[in-house]
Amino acid sequence: AFSMRAGCLPKGGSSPTHTLSGKLVQVDRAKGSDERMVEYWLSLTITDIVTGLPVWSNRKSVVKVGPSSAVTW
């Protein structure tokens, strides 16, 4: 899994007001004897630093199916 955090600076200010955090997860699954399915999940959240509450959050998936030897990126 991959995670990152970044701050967003307000105009004319020097302190961040929000953080961006995310996670990328890869899930491998067999799909028959010679096929494989790889699913990638990307989750992102923007959080207000003052309140600690999420302002925005979203999760998307990308699915790739193919021969076992050729399905990875």
Side-chain angles (χ1 to χ4, degrees):
F2 169 81
S3 293
M4 66 178 224
R5 293 187 74 81
C8 302
L9 294 176
K11 288 184 178 179
S14 60
S15 298
T17 59
H18 296 81
T19 60
L20 171 66
S21 60
K23 185 191 286 190
L24 179 62
V25 177
Q26 175 182 329
V27 179
D28 292 322
R29 296 190 178 123
K31 190 174 167 64
S33 61
D34 61 342
E35 271 195 328
R36 198 168 98 193
M37 180 174 83
V38 179
E39 188 171 8
Y40 299 92
W41 283 97
L42 175 63
S43 302
L44 293 173
T45 302
I46 297 175
T47 305
D48 185 301
I49 289 179
V50 174
T51 65
L53 297 174
V55 176
W56 176 87
S57 184
N58 204 348
R59 184 169 94 164
K60 295 289 182 183
S61 70
V62 176
V63 178
K64 191 173 180 185
V65 178
S68 293
S69 61
V71 81
T72 59
W73 270 327

